[in-house]
Amino acid sequence: MNKKSLFFAAIFLGLISCCNDNQTQITIKGKINCVCNQGYYGPVGQQCQQCPQGSTSGSPDQHSNQSIGFCSTCQKNYFMSKANYIPVGRFLQSESPAICNPCPSGSGNSSGSDSLGDQTQCNTCQPNYFMTAVVSQTQAAQCSPCPHNSGNQGINNAGDQSQCNQCQDNTYMTALAQQGQSAQCSPCPPNSYSSAPNSLGFCTCFDPFAIPLSSTQNSCICQSGYAGNVATTKGQNGCYQCANNQFVSGNKCVSCADGSTVNKDLTGCTCNDTSDGTIAWNSNTNICQCKPNYYGSPDKASQGSSGSCKLCPQGLISKAGSKTADQCQKPPPDSQYQFSLIISNSILISFIFIIFY
Ligand SMILES: *[C@@H]1O[C@H](CO)[C@@H](O)[C@H](O)[C@H]1NC(C)=O
Ligand SMILES: *[C@@H]1O[C@H](CO)[C@@H](O)[C@H](O)[C@H]1NC(C)=O
Ligand SMILES: *[C@@H]1O[C@H](CO)[C@@H](O)[C@H](O)[C@H]1NC(C)=O
Ligand SMILES: *[C@@H]1O[C@H](CO)[C@@H](O)[C@H](O)[C@H]1NC(C)=O
């Protein structure tokens, strides 16, 4: 069979199955029936309803006429305060469900009660509680919440806080549990998850290209050389590598200026010609050009070359970034005048100084 016919076969099978979400198809005496799933009840051929609070029904079986009386046991962490008995043979069906009450303050019953009783059916502690006293003749097990975000998978025997020897979801362990003391757990930083809840360690960032979390790194950020923003859910990609000869500025990729080459760490560039006269590359300008009083085209220089910027002839000056010899010019007379004014002033001040002393 090819893919296409498999596809149509699947549709065909879907069409002949009458069962909806909360039902399972079962063949009873050669006849196909849709029977309610565990936790649901309802007569055959009708929609299935959820069993009322805390009660539950058995897994789908040969009995297609499932009245509410099929909700005859309790879910886990409930005790049964009123039973409903389905008489032998299950032909006569009870019209009421079992009445189930939640186990008190963190206590539980991990199998789910199937018989009439009281809170003494609650003889365990639910996950993330520790047990201070076992179940008694009259009382459920005594359970207290685990402190400092610590937790466990549920407890069957009396003990102390050290029964809380794991970390709850989205926290990481900073100290192990020890006698009388629970584990110490801290919340994972944003955009990370707890990857090892049972041992000392750190959370893991969702983003595979984030800097790993550690005692000195307590937030998820992209590794150096990666642009973008860290992934905010598992499986998503946030940080990415830039294209050839680009550097990372902020969280964006920027092409290195003409005549420059990206550095190994991808956080900046270096002008191809670093000889005298070239202004060293910096991220604010991202340009390769000549210093004042030089002229030339370091933006056209190949890597390792030198002398792209030539000094202006003596007595002539140029602005930064000048490219041609004719940009070297005589200093404006104005500035010469100011210069002489400064000189004459300082001579005058020196004179006054000498006269005074
Ligand atoms: C299945 O059960 C859920 C409640 O558990 C209910 O919301 C939903 O409507 C039911 N689906 C059908 C098809 O009866
Ligand atoms: C199915 O169960 C209901 C409720 O107990 C009952 O009234 C009805 O007669 C039963 N139907 C069949 C076909 O057994
Ligand atoms: C749960 O309740 C039943 C009674 O239905 C009891 O026998 C059992 O010991 C209880 N505890 C556990 C952990 O199953
Ligand atoms: C600068 O050097 C890089 C790396 O060798 C080269 O790719 C680029 O073309 C050079 N720039 C110029 C203008 O030659």
Side-chain angles (χ1 to χ4, degrees), residues 20-22 40 47-50:
N20 64 35
D21 290 357
N22 304 319
Y40 292 82
Q47 289 212 330
C48 299
Q49 317 231 350
Q50 213 165 4

Side-chain angles (χ1 to χ4, degrees), residues 8 18 21 50 59 103 117 143-144 146 164 178 183 192 216 233 243 251 307 326:
F8 284 112
C18 60
D21 290 357
Q50 213 165 4
S59 40
C103 287
C143 306
S144 297
C146 288
C164 305
Q178 43 181 291
S192 70
T216 54
T233 57
N251 52 15
D326 59 10

Side-chain angles (χ1 to χ4, degrees), residues 100-113:
C100 303
N101 298 74
C103 287
S105 42
S107 64
N109 179 304
S110 45
S111 65
S113 173

Side-chain angles (χ1 to χ4, degrees), residues 260-338:
S260 69
T261 304
V262 72
N263 297 338
K264 260 212 177 92
D265 67 4
L266 306 178
T267 60
C269 318
T270 304
C271 289
N272 287 351
D273 179 346
T274 55
S275 65
D276 276 357
T278 311
I279 300 176
W281 185 95
N282 75 76
S283 58
N284 295 328
T285 56
N286 186 26
I287 191 169
C288 291
Q289 61 181 3
C290 294
K291 288 178 182 169
N293 306 332
Y294 285 82
Y295 67 95
S297 300
D299 57 328
K300 300 209 169 78
S302 58
Q303 204 174 16
S305 61
S306 65
S308 305
C309 295
K310 296 192 169 54
L311 198 55
C312 286
Q314 193 147 27
L316 302 185
I317 62 168
S318 67
K319 286 191 208 144
S322 295
K323 298 211 158 186
T324 53
D326 59 10
Q327 288 174 284
C328 297
Q329 289 177 345
K330 279 204 177 122
D334 212 7
S335 70
Q336 275 179 327
Y337 169 73
Q338 273 172 11

